[in-house]
Every structure is written in structure tokens, then in C-alpha cells.
Amino acid sequence: MTAVLLTGSGDAVASPEPQRTTSEFLATDGVTYTATNHLLPASKGRGREWMLTWAGSADPSKPDFLAVIDATRSSPTYGEVVNTVTLGPSLAHEAHHMQYVWHKGDRLYAGGLLMDTVFVFDTKALPALKLAGVNSSVDTPCGTAPDAFQVLRDGTAYASYLGGPDLPGPCTFTNGEVRLGNGAAGSPGEIVRLDKNGKTLAEIPAALAEGEDPEQCGNVPRIEKATCANPHGIMVSEERNIMVASDFVEARHFMSPTLPDQTNLARQTVRVWDITDRNDPELLSVSKMPDGPRAAQEKSAMWHESRVVMEPALPNKKSHKGAFASSMLGGAIFYAPDVTVPEPKWREVFDDTTAYRAAGADKDVTGGGDAGSWLMVSPDDRYLFHTVMGQSTAYGKPLDRTTGMVYVLDIRKLLAAGDDPKCKIDKLKEVYRGGAESDCPAVTSAMPIKDTTDGGPHWGAMDNFERTHDGTYRETKQIRRLATSNYFIAGSFSGDGNHEVCMYDLDRSGKLKQDTTFRDQGSGKPCVDFDRTSWPHGDTGPARPHGILFTVSDSVLK
């Protein structure tokens, strides 16, 4: 028996009936959650490399799902969706992030931003997935809106929770400390440590006990002790016992038409913890990112370089003690050479405006309001990767001129400078040309990604695997492929996107080139299009891809 696959182009493609298997988990909220695989015959055969994509249905009455895409270059089904793992019974989770990198044996952590839920999957039988656990809203009373994840070597994970406690008022964390909050999707957020089955091991306060600058840290409603603690991105170095998280926005009211001045809801801070005690990290520092030379030219403080610090990134070598951070509305990248000290010395080291010049954008397109997103250091500490969605209609420029990009920076000289780097973007000409100092990051490639929706390439993933001569795989420190997904969050100031997942090759000199053989199985065009009618699980219509991750079948991964 066969079904008919209808793609976004309207083409009909014969699709065999999938093999269905269901796993379930009884969570502490009393709900039995399910995950159902819909494996097509194309998923069978010797183990391969897979692109996992966490996607929300555009129809809130239809299930969210994990799409398993064949990412094996030599495969005849390269780019095809060979399995969809649908979730039930809850709907409309706003599928958001998974962990940044997957390693052999890791569980998969996938967050539902709006439903305050984390799903944990066993990946040993890839391309099939098994539901191993669910962390629901009752498991994290001190935080809401799970965002990003970092998996530790013991299989546990840290998760950033962007929003405040379930209920307004005081909330007691695992270590006995108390913080006052203004409620769900408000402030302060928290860090949660999860076990392999999604059980909460610890709720960890992100806010300073004594409060923070009320002028800088707006809260609606006002909190007695103001806080900017709304952690979004999270990075961990177990070698250095360091965790870094960047503060995003107080999400509940951000860009609300009822609040005309939201400048102090746009966070400018980065937090660093000592995680020697994994369940009770010590908050070492809270640092405000500086504004740069472009701030004086911006029409609104919302576009100043320091605004909305979405993502941090950590080098991998133990000798490198610094950290990077990027601002979403500010369009800048910051660096501190040592984040283990009580007061890290952050400075701007790159403006997205320079990357726009390299990508061929018009000369008046700058980093202000450009929605910079995914930020990642390559495993060999050579490159820094960054996706930019593009200036939205909120900034006031036509979308066909300001669409997004993914770019690559060579950061070797900056890291080699150790505790005393000279790079600092403090002159307007450096905004457009790159830093004048010799150790400043250098653009090796800037790939424009045309998306004329009010969205663009928000998230990315590094392919940290290579195929050996005998057909097996192993991890590698030399990255040769990147992928991006074009969707942020529907209804936001900049976010819906064209719902494509695209692949890019990276050569040894750091140059990007789109992999045009990674094509949609229906339209035949480069990139996998999630705006389609049918999936292996049925005719549920378009979906919104957010988190993406490279994985490999356990049987062929060394």
C-alpha cells in the first residue's frame, strides 16, 4: 500500500506506507506522553548520518514532530525526510532548541518553549527515536520557557529557562535560596540540571540574590529586587568547570504594543558560573556588554550593539579561558579573554556590518536590528560561526535588501593573544571594515541567505562527523559542513521565516558554498522545504523547523 506525498510545489510523489512504532512515558504531571515513529523504507539499511529537525506544526491542531532527514552525502535519498516522530497528546509546544552538538550515546533533549516541557529521547536506534522522559511544567516551578541545552559527559544536561516562575512571588530553589519572580514568561529565569530521563536534579537561580540595576533591568510587573536574568543561550566547559549563559529579553511583554518603551526589557548581560558542584553552581559574575561606535548613529537604543544578548560561545581547548557573546538586536560580537575572573573584561570584537559588506549587501545595511542568532566555535578553535536572520520590518528597511546570512570568522589570532588581546571595535570605520588591530577576527566567508519573509536563518548546526574509508563514522574537529534552519518564532518582531533547512560546505580555508545536492524531494530545489502538505505521518501541512542537529546511527559510529 502506498500513500501520496504532496509537497509545497504541489507535485505528487508516491510514498510507501510507513512502519509505525510508539513509545510512551508517564510524567509527573499525570499525563502519559507518546512518541510515534513513522519510518519509511528509505530509512532502512546500513547506518547513516542524519539531520534531526525539531519542528512545530503550523496548524495548532496537528502534532509537533522530529523530522529525520537523510544527511549521508552518497545516499540516493540524500535530503529526504525518512521518519517523523510525532508527539502526543499535547499540541502547539512551539518546538524550539535541542542541544548544540550531539555525541555518541547522548540522549536528545528537545524543548517546547510555550508548553514549558522538555522531551528526552533515546537515540541508540537512529533513525528511530524512543521517548525516554518528559519534564513538564510541574517539575520546574521556579522557571518557564525552556530554551537551550548542554549535555555533559555523564549524560545529564543543563537547560536554560528563559522565563520566570510558574506563579508570581517567592520561589525556593534546590539549594534553599529564594528569589522573587513576576510569573510565567517573566523574570527571573533559571538554569535546570536534568538527568538522562528528564528528571529535575536541580533548579539553579540565575538572578543575583541582592538584585540588579533597576534602570537597566526592567521587569513587568516590577519586582522588588530587579533582575535581568532571562537566560537564552548556554555553554559549558567541563574542563574549566565553567558555565556561561546570555540574557535575552523578558519575553512576556517584549515588543508588546501596550508597552511603548521596552528598552530596559532588552537584556545586555552575560552570566558565568563555577560548576564544580554540578547541582549547586556558584554565580561568579554578571557582566553588561558595552555599546560600540555604531550606537551614536542608531535611531533607537534598541539597536545599540549591546542589546539582546542571545548567544554565548566557548572555545574548546582548556588553555583558552575566554568566551564570546552575540547580540540579536545589536548585531555585534563580544569577547572576554578570561571569564573565570570576578570581573571579565568584555569588549566588542566584530560588527555584523563588516560581514554584510563581505556578503555583498548594500552599503547602508548595518548590523543594527539584524537578528543575529546561532553562534558556535569550531572544535579546533579555528572558526566562529554565526547566523544572521536579517534586519526585520521593525528596523524599517525592505526585506529584499536586508535578508540573512551565515558567516565564518577566523579567531585564531584573537585566542592566541591570551589574557591581553588588543582587538576592540571602538572606531566607526571598524564597524564597516573590521577591527584595525592585527588579532581581530577576520571574515573568511559570508554567505547571503535570501529569505524575504519577516524571518530568516535563525539556527545552525556543525557537522562534527566524518566518514572513514570502511564506511563507519567518527567525530572530527575539522568542520566541513554547516546547516541552517530559517525560522525563529511566529508572531514575533522578526521570526516566521520561509521554513527551509539548508546545507553548506566549508572548505579548508573557511569558504562556504551551498550544497545544492541537498534538495527537497518534491520541488527538487536546494534546501529541504517544511512548507509541504504531506509527511510520513500524514497530511498535516506546513511545519516550522527550529532546532537542528547532526547525528549518526550508533552501529556505525566509533
Side-chain angles (χ1 to χ4, degrees):
M1 180 179 179
T2 60
V4 174
L5 170 67
L6 297 178
T7 68
S9 66
D11 298 327
V13 179
S15 178
E17 190 71 17
Q19 176 187 347
R20 296 177 176 84
T21 58
T22 299
S23 54
E24 58 184 38
F25 184 86
L26 176 61
T28 55
D29 61 358
V31 176
T32 297
Y33 293 85
T34 61
T36 301
N37 291 277
H38 302 80
L39 284 156
L40 297 179
S43 67
K44 307 299 181 183
R46 197 159 189 263
R48 281 169 278 171
E49 190 167 5
W50 312 102
M51 167 68 67
L52 301 186
T53 304
W54 181 208
S57 175
D59 181 343
S61 69
K62 304 298 182 183
D64 296 333
F65 60 93
L66 276 157
V68 183
I69 302 171
D70 188 347
T72 313
R73 289 183 187 274
S74 60
S75 171
T77 56
Y78 185 48
E80 292 188 17
V81 178
V82 300
N83 183 22
T84 50
V85 186
T86 54
L87 299 176
S90 56
L91 302 168
H93 304 94
E94 188 59 53
H96 213 58
H97 293 306
M98 301 180 285
Q99 60 256 52
Y100 295 84
V101 178
W102 180 88
H103 306 283
K104 182 180 176 68
D106 281 356
R107 294 282 171 88
L108 183 70
Y109 294 80
L113 187 73
L114 298 185
M115 292 296 288
D116 195 18
T117 303
V118 177
F119 299 93
V120 184
F121 298 89
D122 187 315
T123 61
K124 288 184 179 178
L126 280 167
L129 295 168
K130 179 182 178 181
L131 188 61
V134 177
N135 187 291
S136 69
S137 59
V138 301
D139 299 307
T140 55
C142 292
T144 51
D147 194 275
F149 304 88
Q150 273 281 4
V151 180
L152 307 183
R153 287 193 289 260
D154 63 4
T156 65
Y158 283 121
S160 61
Y161 276 61
L162 175 66
D166 292 343
L167 299 172
C171 196
T172 303
F173 291 81
T174 306
N175 63 4
E177 295 183 19
V178 177
R179 300 289 187 273
L180 293 174
N182 61 14
S187 300
E190 66 173 351
I191 305 297
V192 178
R193 189 180 181 207
L194 305 170
D195 76 3
K196 289 184 176 182
N197 298 315
K199 178 183 177 182
T200 298
L201 296 174
E203 289 189 276
I204 301 158
L208 289 169
E210 63 271 25
E212 300 166 38
D213 182 359
E215 294 298 318
Q216 176 189 344
C217 303
N219 303 116
V220 182
R222 180 179 174 272
I223 302 173
E224 180 181 334
K225 294 182 178 180
T227 179
C228 283
N230 298 110
H232 181 282
I234 183 170
M235 283 282 158
V236 173
S237 170
E238 291 190 79
E239 290 77 14
R240 286 174 280 165
N241 279 319
I242 287 294
M243 176 168 64
V244 181
S246 52
D247 293 321
F248 184 49
V249 298
E250 186 174 76
R252 186 170 57 198
H253 298 288
F254 192 63
M255 301 306 284
S256 167
T258 62
L259 293 174
D261 183 8
Q262 300 173 58
T263 304
N264 64 1
L265 299 184
R267 306 308 189 205
Q268 303 165 275
T269 41
V270 172
R271 295 165 197 270
V272 181
W273 287 262
D274 181 329
I275 60 168
T276 301
D277 185 337
R278 297 291 193 261
N279 283 338
D280 190 15
E282 176 189 0
L283 186 54
L284 297 177
S285 64
V286 179
S287 304
K288 180 179 178 290
M289 299 300 101
D291 279 332
R294 183 167 39 82
Q297 294 191 333
E298 295 292 354
K299 60 184 178 182
S300 168
M302 294 291 281
W303 317 126
H304 289 185
E305 291 92 335
S306 63
R307 295 292 174 177
V308 186
V309 191
M310 175 174 264
E311 285 294 311
L314 286 177
N316 299 281
K317 296 177 183 178
K318 189 175 182 179
S319 59
H320 293 154
K321 298 179 291 184
F324 294 90
S326 63
S327 54
M328 188 179 193
L329 294 189
I333 293 177
F334 305 90
Y335 177 68
D338 187 351
V339 292
T340 67
V341 297
E343 296 183 5
K345 293 180 172 58
W346 292 89
R347 81 279 306 279
E348 183 184 348
V349 294
F350 190 79
D351 193 295
D352 289 351
T353 306
T354 299
Y356 272 123
R357 301 287 80 71
D362 292 349
K363 63 181 181 180
D364 61 337
V365 177
T366 71
D370 73 352
S373 301
W374 176 66
L375 187 74
M376 200 78 190
V377 177
S378 62
D380 59 1
D381 285 356
R382 179 170 183 166
Y383 297 124
L384 183 68
F385 306 121
H386 193 34
T387 57
V388 173
M389 293 168 62
Q391 290 176 325
S392 72
T393 51
Y395 195 79
K397 290 185 179 178
L399 293 171
D400 61 348
R401 294 178 55 219
T402 63
T403 50
M405 60 181 166
V406 55
Y407 67 79
V408 185
L409 299 178
D410 188 328
I411 56 173
R412 287 176 292 177
K413 290 183 179 179
L414 184 63
L415 295 180
D419 292 339
D420 189 29
K422 299 297 185 285
C423 181
K424 185 178 183 181
I425 304 300
D426 53 6
K427 298 179 179 63
L428 192 59
K429 65 180 180 180
E430 294 179 298
V431 170
Y432 293 87
R433 303 176 187 173
E437 295 81 9
S438 62
D439 59 354
C440 282
V443 180
T444 64
S445 190
M447 172 69 67
I449 300 177
K450 295 297 182 182
D451 181 349
T452 54
T453 67
D454 198 8
H458 168 65
W459 210 241
M462 306 180 301
D463 184 359
N464 54 310
F465 303 102
E466 64 180 3
R467 199 171 188 177
T468 65
H469 66 280
D470 63 358
T472 60
Y473 289 82
R474 64 189 175 198
E475 284 207 48
T476 178
K477 293 184 177 181
Q478 282 74 51
I479 301 301
R480 294 290 175 258
R481 269 199 309 184
L482 303 178
T484 62
S485 58
N486 296 2
Y487 172 71
F488 176 41
I489 184 169
S492 67
F493 62 93
S494 171
D496 199 8
N498 63 17
H499 305 164
E500 291 182 346
V501 174
C502 303
M503 195 79 76
Y504 300 90
D505 291 322
L506 181 75
D507 70 16
R508 296 182 184 278
S509 63
K511 300 293 184 183
L512 289 167
K513 180 180 180 182
Q514 185 168 6
D515 179 357
T516 57
T517 66
F518 187 75
R519 293 175 174 269
D520 187 79
Q521 63 198 87
S523 69
K525 297 178 180 179
C527 304
V528 175
D529 192 351
F530 276 62
D531 281 341
R532 59 179 72 188
T533 301
S534 299
W535 300 90
H537 61 271
D539 296 343
T540 60
R544 297 161 172 160
H546 197 112
I548 51 178
L549 203 60
F550 285 93
T551 60
V552 174
S553 295
D554 189 77
S555 61
V556 292
L557 180 57
K558 294 180 178 179

